[in-house]
Amino acid sequence: MEETRPAEPTPSGSPRAADAEAESTKPPEDAPSPAEPLPEGQAQDLQRHEILAEMRDVWECYKVADCTLGEDTDPRAEYFEAGERLAAGMRMIIEQHRAHRIGDFELAEAAHEALQYDSGPVRAAAIEALGELPPADEHLGALVTALDQHHDEKLFEIALPELQRYAESGRREAVDAFLQSNLRSGAHFAARTIARELGPFLTPENVTSYRDLVEELPEDSRRAALLMETLSEFEETE
């Protein structure tokens, strides 16, 4: 059977969605095509909107059958190549923020857009970007939405410290609701990761709700066993 590329949603804000946005985010005429990585020197000189435009063009190229991103035209290789290029673009924007070339709003806007790409590397870079920003409800909402759409175990491992930061910033109820929802009915590997790494999220005030949750899980499930183990370790230290 012929292998097809994974179906990924196009991020909002694509230059094809609005002519005005396309004009404002059009890369320089002498910029390389999406099929070629940006030269390092030129990449450092690009403005944020130019990097985002290049990222969108890379993703559009990945989705079009007659456009290739590298020498290997295997669909899986193309998928990973696209993700790595988008992640590199997001990291360039993070560096611009650290160098005070852009502000929090510009970094947040780029991170929210990057979270919409169905690619682990670019979403990981977007989570790194959120870690540079003060906690805000809209950032937490974008993060949990992305995690609900992408159940990669590694991505959850990267996101948990950021979720902990939000829990400690007065948003514990929202974070607990997300974690408990995934423990209850989330993907197997995501739930297992949460159960294993839940310790820093537990408090004397919320531990009972997690204890009650254990009763809802199948007794022989791996997530139940890991959750019970984590709860026991927490209660032994109290």
Side-chain angles (χ1 to χ4, degrees):
M1 182 174 65
E2 182 179 354
E3 186 177 14
T4 58
R5 299 183 177 191
E8 286 84 29
T10 300
S12 60
S14 166
R16 290 163 177 77
D19 291 340
E21 175 69 6
E23 289 300 319
S24 67
T25 60
K26 186 182 298 182
E29 291 182 0
D30 58 349
S33 72
E36 301 175 359
L38 288 169
E40 183 176 352
Q42 180 179 343
Q44 293 175 350
D45 294 334
L46 289 178
Q47 299 297 313
R48 183 199 67 119
H49 70 273
E50 294 172 333
I51 297 172
L52 288 173
E54 177 70 17
M55 291 167 64
R56 295 170 190 147
D57 286 345
V58 166
W59 198 250
E60 288 296 325
C61 177
Y62 159 71
K63 295 194 300 180
V64 176
D66 60 355
C67 184
T68 58
L69 295 169
E71 296 180 0
D72 192 340
T73 58
D74 175 77
R76 291 186 183 275
E78 287 276 288
Y79 174 70
F80 289 120
E81 176 71 15
E84 288 299 330
R85 292 201 194 180
L86 268 61
M90 191 65 237
R91 287 192 293 268
M92 288 162 52
I93 294 174
I94 292 172
E95 290 304 318
Q96 290 186 351
H97 181 262
R98 290 172 178 169
H100 306 291
R101 291 177 57 190
I102 62 172
D104 287 355
F105 175 81
E106 289 79 12
L107 179 63
E109 190 176 54
H112 284 216
E113 178 172 330
L115 281 171
Q116 296 179 57
Y117 290 103
D118 191 4
S119 166
V122 69
R123 282 180 162 169
I127 293 170
E128 180 184 349
L130 292 181
E132 302 278 321
L133 300 168
D137 291 342
E138 58 267 29
H139 304 337
L140 177 59
L143 176 58
V144 299
T145 296
L147 291 171
D148 279 335
Q149 294 172 348
H150 194 94
H151 305 294
D152 181 79
E153 183 177 14
K154 295 295 184 183
L155 194 64
F156 269 77
E157 291 176 354
I158 293 168
L160 285 174
E162 183 66 8
L163 289 172
Q164 183 183 345
R165 186 169 74 100
Y166 274 83
E168 294 172 350
S169 72
R171 297 167 176 84
R172 189 170 301 279
E173 184 176 345
V175 172
D176 280 341
F178 170 75
L179 296 177
Q180 292 181 13
S181 174
N182 276 272
L183 284 168
R184 185 179 293 109
S185 57
H188 170 70
F189 291 113
R192 186 181 69 177
T193 300
I194 293 170
R196 187 179 60 243
E197 305 293 339
L198 187 65
F201 294 89
L202 295 174
T203 69
E205 292 73 30
N206 70 6
V207 68
T208 299
S209 64
Y210 284 97
R211 271 288 179 192
D212 293 340
L213 176 58
V214 174
E215 301 301 320
E216 301 178 36
L217 303 178
E219 293 184 7
D220 59 347
S221 67
R222 182 61 175 158
R223 69 182 70 187
L226 287 169
L227 180 55
M228 290 178 63
E229 181 179 334
T230 302
L231 290 168
S232 297
E233 290 175 356
F234 172 80
E235 290 167 344
E236 287 175 1
T237 63
E238 289 298 303

